[in-house]
Amino acid sequence: MARKTVIAGNWKMNKTAAEGKALVEALKGLVADVCPARAEIIVCPPFTTLGAVAEAIAGSNIKLGAQNVHWEKSGAFTGEISADMLKEAGVEYVIIGHSERRQYFGETDATVNQRLKAALNAGLKPIVCIGETLEERESGNTEKVLAAQLSGGLAGLDAEVVAGLILAYEPVWAIGTGKTATPEMAEETHRFIRSFVAGEFGQAAADAITIQYGGSMKPENAAALCAQADIDGGLIGGAALKADSFAALVKNAIAAGQA
Ligand code: PGA
């Protein structure tokens, strides 16, 4: 079954509104020939940069994502943001449960699940992040950790909803470190994730769900990773911060994914 290639740039805490606008103005021209029926291109700027980027990408094939969403509609949650606020800003996608949120801000599988349900209720398209630490991989616990993250994170969801989700498998030891999982190692884990989804939600959901790889994906390694059968694109940090590297990565990933 052919799945679309989905590439999302996670800008993390980088780019002011002016810098973000300049980046997407350059990016627009470089990816204008990418057909939206074959691939999705998403950028996920910081909250205060969303408005400027939304304006700059209007009418283009670049979609807007955010990096977090709270589960309540409003209230006393200092520093958080609601799904409706994101929708109003023109956001279509939202990253949930990134390992940096888990590591530095106390995100758990239970809060991932709450955020995910709020995003879905508001009509946002979630990108749910999972991944093991180096210690967990070296002690042979990768599959156990991923299974727990998936069971907890996706708890209570219907198979039809799971079918439309985007998962991002990001081995924590590969994020921002320059260390990438080899394509074979990444594929082995993606295959496990897809089979776990099949076991919990059925084969149709497993066949349809998008599973991105993340962790030091660059223009140079995107093709080899995205050529793997169960890798459907990428969640990109560092290489998404420059228009030329992100555009090159997008093109290499799409070419490999559809070869
Ligand atoms: P990286 O980040 O591409 O800089 O490793 C990926 C991510 O954290 O989403």
Side-chain angles (χ1 to χ4, degrees):
M1 173 177 169
R3 287 178 295 267
K4 254 197 210 183
T5 300
V6 184
I7 307 287
N10 173 12
W11 295 2
K12 309 192 179 183
M13 198 172 72
N14 296 292
K15 305 291 178 190
T16 62
E19 291 165 348
K21 184 174 185 295
L23 196 167
V24 287
E25 289 293 359
L27 183 64
K28 268 197 302 193
L30 296 172
V31 298
D33 57 338
V34 172
C35 169
R38 302 177 72 185
E40 298 272 293
I41 306 169
I42 306 160
V43 293
C44 304
F47 297 137
T48 54
T49 300
L50 288 170
V53 170
E55 229 172 82
I57 62 176
S60 79
N61 57 356
I62 303 171
K63 306 284 179 59
L64 190 62
Q67 299 173 21
N68 192 18
V69 60
H70 197 261
W71 51 88
E72 293 292 346
K73 287 185 99 45
S74 64
F77 303 100
T78 304
E80 290 284 335
I81 195 142
S82 77
D84 290 342
M85 292 167 187
L86 295 177
K87 292 271 290 185
E88 186 187 43
V91 167
E92 201 177 322
Y93 294 83
V94 62
I95 299 170
I96 296 174
H98 189 278
S99 65
E100 286 149 16
R101 303 274 338 151
R102 294 177 189 259
Q103 189 179 349
Y104 305 128
F105 304 103
E107 191 81 68
T108 64
D109 297 327
T111 56
V112 165
N113 187 248
Q114 285 179 283
R115 294 183 199 279
L116 174 56
K117 286 175 175 162
L120 290 165
N121 282 338
L124 290 169
K125 298 176 187 165
I127 300 175
V128 182
C129 302
I130 56 171
E132 81 288 359
T133 63
L134 187 58
E135 198 187 358
E136 288 161 348
R137 176 161 284 265
E138 287 180 342
S139 58
N141 286 316
T142 298
E143 295 189 354
K144 203 171 111 198
V145 167
L146 296 175
Q149 290 175 343
L150 288 166
S151 302
L154 309 187
L157 263 55
D158 292 337
E160 304 77 65
V161 172
V162 172
L165 285 182
I166 301 170
L167 296 178
Y169 166 59
E170 301 202 300
V172 178
W173 47 272
I175 296 178
T177 59
K179 288 186 201 158
T180 335
T182 63
E184 294 74 26
M185 192 195 277
E187 169 61 13
E188 188 187 344
T189 311
H190 278 237
R191 205 180 309 126
F192 165 74
I193 294 166
R194 205 177 295 284
S195 69
F196 186 84
V197 170
E200 300 274 305
F201 299 99
Q203 194 60 47
D207 286 340
I209 197 168
T210 297
I211 311 178
Q212 298 176 318
Y213 171 80
S216 300
M217 197 189 269
K218 302 182 263 296
E220 299 77 32
N221 60 21
L225 286 159
C226 292
Q228 303 295 320
D230 290 294
I231 301 183
D232 308 320
L235 181 57
I236 322 300
L241 296 176
K242 287 200 177 123
D244 53 356
S245 66
F246 192 55
L249 190 157
V250 164
K251 303 248 167 124
N252 293 348
I254 293 171
Q258 287 163 2

